Amino acid sequence: MSTLLAVEKVTVRFGGLVAVSEVDFHVNEGELVGLIGPNGAGKTTLFNLVTGVYTPTTGRIHFDRKLVNGLNSSSITEMGVARTFQNIRLFNSLSVLDNVVAAFNLHLQSGFLGALWRGAAFRSEEKQIRNEALALLEIFGLQAAAQSPCRSLSYGDQRRLEIVRALATRPKLLLLDEPAAGMNPTEKVDLMRLIRFTQEQFKLAVLLVEHDMKVVMGICERIAVLEYGRKIAEGTPEEIQKDRRVIAAYLGEEVTDA
Amino acid sequence: MNELLQQLINGLSLGAVYALIALGYTMVYGVLRFINFAHGDVFMVGAFTGMYFGRWLKPLAAAWPEWLFASTVLLVSMLSCAILGIVLERLAYKPLRERPRLTVLITAIGVSLLLEYAGQLVFGAAPRGFPSLITSSSISGIEGLHASNIQVIVLVVTALLLWGLHLVVMRTRLGLAMRALSLNPTAARLMGVNTNVVISFTFGIGSALAAAGAIFYASLYQAIDPFMGVLPGMKAFVAAVLGGIGSLPGAMVGGLILGVVETLVVGYSQLLGIPPGYRDAVAFVILILILLFKPSGLFGKTMREKV
Amino acid sequence: MGARSLVLIAALAVGLVSFCFTGHPEAAWPLAQIDDYLLNILILAGINVILAVSLNIVNGHTGQFSLGHAGFMAVGAYGSAALTQLNGKACLASLSFLGSAAPLGLFVLSLLVGGLLAALAGLAVGLPSLRLKGDYLAIVTLGFGEIIRVMIQNTESLGGARGLAGIPNHTTLGWTWLVSLISIYCVGSLVNSTYGRGFLAVRDDEIAAEAMGINTTRYKVTAFVVGAFFAGLAGGLYAHFIGYVTPEGFSFLKSVDVVVMVILGGMGSTAGVTVAAIGLTFLNEALREAEQYRMVAFALLLIILMITRPQGLLGGLGGLARWLPGKGGKS
């Protein structure tokens, strides 16, 4: 199994604040890895570093053996990294379907001129994208809402739509930022199944940030723990559950908060 | 050398006016995070208030010493504009507090147009002469140097106003609340800062300073019209960005720099190979350069969007 | 966009082209009765439609805020007039192979040159403005517009502050509305495609758009360039309609005029913006006597609209929108 994402000694400072410090971390191809830690531990910042929203102050990030430091988000996505957002960031004025369609942009053959000329190649591509988008929506049970404005979806459905939209970019690595937040227990079980399914179906590596320990322990093959911007532990779910530093980090905080 | 000194004096007195207007932009931006497009037009109203009030007061104050007459006009104009600023904020901007910034910006453009065209209706479109508040005389210590007493007074009074502003912002409770609000609106509100009062206060002070700038500007150039606020307004905004929007010292320094650079470009147009007609483009070129190379300005802080 | 609207546009375009080439509107049957006054307003309306629809791709669909549209219009106007008026003889001579159609050929060529020059200006404005958002972008575009104006004012060969007179009157109703329809079609088609969803995505959430692999930089520049190109065409048409251009005519206030059309029509709605541009042109004419009050009323309208109905007066114009491309904007 080869390494897909390699984070080497990455540090990022915002003014005087060190948000992520000397973190070493990797994700192998097709692996499902969890990233946990108390609030403010730097999990989302790490996501933002990997996806190019922020640039590391020091250290290096490789994806698919290519250095991605300093690249802009869209080029990193083009290399095969897709993500969802903790605070949902859908394209609010677009329909559910168009949110997914927009994410096909990356693989579009007919661009500016195609859209103006509207020839046969353009029309068949539009049709194909539409069908693919609908098929993706169907996996996540959203096909019925395809034409509705995405704002009308329930919170849980909006989170699912974010995953669908990310999948539309055809990633090799999917970063999920608290996908289960705001879901009820049944929805969470369902989500776990879906994450597993997409991972196998699309042969993805998944990096999961999640506060719900049931979800994390239930599906992750490997877990890394961050605290105050540093990695304090890494291992299988069993190892992490027994790790004294992890227990200490979580002490006083409800382990299963959602 | 004298030539350069002369240009510097001209530039600084113009820069003082820009600085006074720029403070209003920067203070409002600090508390509300939006550019009050109509600020330059409040400046215009300040000039007209000064003109009308000055003309009305002149015969009554014939026996007054000149400085008392001039400062009365200045204070009345500042006070009227403070009220205007507060009223505009209450009527036009307050209902939009939680709306997208673009909506507020468009509203501000609307307010700006309203003041300009209503000004045209009320004051007439033609330029009007501004009454002289202080008898103009030339101060010349060094040969070939012509500084008018008005230029010197403008610089001195501006310095006094800035010092007063510094005291208000750093030493009063409202000033503290203003600083708190611009640092973190939510936290300030949770700590019991009355946002509405602070915002009104900010608009009031900013507008009063613009009115002072207007009286100085009108005294220096002696002609005023309903559209006189457009260019100085935009240039003052550039000054605010140059100094780092949100920063009070930045606005002062930015205003002075802009006034001096603009005057130098015109004064040495032949030497620089830039036609004097480009005077009004100087500010925009500076703006574009600043935004390209140091968007946070000289004294500003960079802000980061939370993802 | 459905086949229905394609057919509609094609039919209109064929009808218009047919009388573009007849030279004079009297030859076209349904418009034979139009008097000169109405004709002029209709031409102005057409030019305003081009301006509003093209600004809409920047301000409406892509969610940027440009206040410099008049600058691009000026580039188009002066650019095209430079060919037909300043260098008219030389250009006509080199087009002599067209025979009697040479003046018309030169006119079309000059429009395109004006549009392309404006597009270049759009590129020049778009590239450095990328890092800016909202109010900053508005001020910078405003600044660029003013710089363009000041440059023209100080260029003696373009007439300086006096302006440029004696531009041949080539612009007809047919040409104006042909270009209007082309601009409506282009903006509508661009937006209503997978490619065009990128513009809307940039407007809705830039960070999410980037994360979905949408190159926001390229989209923003594209929007600026396309918008500027059509504004340039509108400028060329305007110059060859009025016959006389001055730098003052392309000041910040002209940009605000176009912004008002886009806002009234509802940002992002091509149909709404088209209707608003036509309506405002007529309203402007009707209120010409009361010029001073007109602007006061507009300003008040703008403020009240923003407070009570920020989606625009015509935003969500359902029935009509279905007949025109570019119904993309729902916000």
Side-chain angles (χ1 to χ4, degrees), chain C residues 181-262:
Chain C
L181 286 179
I182 292 174
S183 67
I184 293 173
Y185 170 82
C186 286
V187 172
S189 297
L190 274 183
V191 172
N192 281 291
S193 62
T194 301
Y195 171 81
R197 290 288 170 253
F199 293 109
L200 309 181
V202 171
R203 168 186 71 188
D204 283 357
D205 192 325
E206 256 182 62
I207 286 175
E210 272 283 326
M212 295 309 128
I214 291 167
N215 188 332
T216 52
T217 307
R218 194 179 304 157
Y219 271 98
K220 286 195 238 171
V221 173
T222 305
F224 263 103
V225 170
V226 172
F229 174 74
F230 282 109
L233 289 187
L237 286 167
Y238 180 76
H240 291 87
F241 166 60
I242 298 285
Y244 174 62
V245 286
T246 59
E248 276 312 306
F250 304 105
S251 72
F252 160 62
L253 289 173
K254 180 68 201 171
S255 297
V256 170
D257 265 357
V258 187
V259 168
V260 171
M261 289 170 197
V262 171

Side-chain angles (χ1 to χ4, degrees), chain A residues 91-95 149-151, chain B residues 100 102-103, chain C residues 56 59-64 191 197 199-205 262-270 272-273 306 309-317 326-331:
Chain A
F91 303 129
N92 274 327
S93 72
L94 302 185
S95 68
C150 68
R151 273 175 300 190
Chain B
L102 214 52
T103 312
Chain C
N56 197 26
N59 287 19
H61 299 117
T62 320
Q64 307 302 297
V191 172
R197 290 288 170 253
F199 293 109
L200 309 181
V202 171
R203 168 186 71 188
D204 283 357
D205 192 325
V262 171
I263 292 166
L264 282 181
M267 289 199 265
S269 153
T270 306
V273 162
M306 279 301 109
R309 206 180 145 78
Q311 72 273 34
L313 215 50
L314 307 168
L317 205 73
K327 57 188 183 219
K330 277 136 197 154
S331 66

Side-chain angles (χ1 to χ4, degrees), chain B residues 15-28 39 206 209-210 232-233 235-241 245-248 250-252 254-255:
Chain B
V17 174
Y18 290 157
L20 286 171
I21 315 175
L23 283 167
Y25 278 114
T26 238
M27 286 163 74
V28 167
H39 192 55
L209 290 175
K235 288 175 184 171
F237 169 76
V238 175
V241 175
I245 197 136
S247 151
L248 297 186
M252 298 175 203

Side-chain angles (χ1 to χ4, degrees), chain C residues 65-152:
Chain C
F65 197 83
S66 166
L67 269 178
H69 221 49
F72 302 132
M73 192 188 173
V75 172
Y78 274 91
S80 64
L83 286 191
T84 55
Q85 199 268 358
L86 290 172
N87 302 300
K89 281 210 178 87
C91 292
L92 276 181
S94 55
L95 288 174
S96 58
F97 63 90
L98 288 173
S100 61
L104 201 62
L106 178 60
F107 169 57
V108 175
L109 185 72
S110 76
L111 284 185
L112 286 176
V113 168
L116 290 174
L117 284 175
L120 267 180
L123 189 67
V125 177
L127 279 177
S129 311
L130 289 167
R131 290 203 249 155
L132 311 171
K133 286 192 187 120
D135 15 24
Y136 272 80
L137 182 66
I139 301 266
V140 166
T141 51
L142 194 163
F144 266 112
E146 289 294 297
I147 290 175
I148 291 174
R149 191 176 61 80
V150 171
M151 279 169 70
I152 295 172

